[in-house]
Amino acid sequence: MCLDQIYRQLWFSDEQNLLLVSGRKISEETFSSYFDPGAQKIAEELLRVTKIYRKLRIDRTELICLMMFSMFILDERVKNNILKSLFIQKFQPQHQLIAERIKSCLLDHIQTHFPDQPARFHELMNAFRGTKMSHFCILNLLRNIYNRTYRY
């Protein structure tokens, strides 16, 4: 979810505006007039994380690799909840193999296209970890908004 929004932000918007799925751009200064406080925090967090990737000057291949990687690597709590809900007893080990292969492809891409930046892979993986934390932060904010809105 976060990486998809970051993709749109990086290639179709600028640093000062949040690009909504509808195509509308909202400036950071006017968030308070468009969003309630919870949604405003989400928008600010998305812009913060996007700025990290902008600073790294991530290319599309790197971002797509990170998006694919995120699909195969799961937080332990999320993984256990998914397994319980699907009545699956064991997580499939091929997911871990696929995730490792994606990381290997990302490393190969970086070594080929950015040979003068030996720390780039680690910088991207650190940014990805930050994105993952932001993702959970945003999910918690959404959960709080939902609970406030639909509480009986």
Side-chain angles (χ1 to χ4, degrees):
M1 179 176 97
C2 287
L3 289 170
D4 185 51
Q5 177 63 32
I6 290 167
Y7 176 83
R8 282 192 297 278
Q9 284 297 122
L10 288 173
W11 279 278
F12 303 108
S13 190
D14 53 38
E15 288 186 38
Q16 292 78 28
N17 295 302
L18 178 69
L19 179 64
L20 302 179
V21 176
S22 65
R24 186 175 188 178
K25 291 183 182 181
I26 300 175
S27 70
E28 197 169 358
E29 295 82 32
T30 60
F31 281 177
S32 59
S33 63
Y34 284 97
F35 303 123
D36 67 21
Q40 187 175 345
K41 288 179 186 175
I42 292 170
E44 289 168 354
E45 185 65 18
L46 285 169
L47 280 183
R48 185 193 70 76
V49 173
T50 301
K51 287 177 185 178
I52 293 170
Y53 285 104
R54 236 183 248 283
K55 183 179 172 189
L56 290 171
R57 299 178 56 100
I58 190 170
D59 71 14
R60 285 186 169 151
T61 301
E62 292 168 326
L63 187 59
I64 297 300
C65 283
L66 290 177
M67 289 171 82
M68 294 299 107
F69 180 70
S70 71
M71 294 167 73
F72 291 99
I73 191 87
L74 295 172
D75 181 85
E76 220 33 63
R77 292 171 297 165
V78 174
K79 188 188 316 181
N80 289 336
N81 288 337
I82 291 171
L83 295 178
K84 286 177 189 173
S85 68
L86 296 175
F87 304 105
I88 299 172
Q89 299 303 314
K90 188 175 178 186
F91 191 67
Q92 301 298 324
Q94 61 263 33
H95 288 168
Q96 186 64 31
L97 293 173
I98 293 168
E100 291 302 319
R101 180 66 182 127
I102 293 168
K103 276 175 59 176
S104 175
C105 290
L106 176 59
L107 182 60
D108 289 345
H109 172 76
I110 290 170
Q111 289 172 341
T112 303
H113 293 85
F114 304 98
D116 57 330
Q117 299 178 32
R120 186 171 181 85
F121 178 78
H122 297 292
E123 291 169 350
L124 286 174
M125 293 311 291
N126 285 336
F128 174 76
R129 285 184 198 94
T131 304
K132 192 169 142 184
M133 294 305 293
S134 293
H135 181 75
F136 288 119
C137 174
I138 290 168
L139 286 176
N140 284 332
L141 288 168
L142 287 172
R143 190 176 302 118
N144 291 339
I145 291 169
Y146 177 82
N147 288 337
R148 277 195 318 264
T149 306
Y150 298 104
R151 202 177 326 171
Y152 297 131

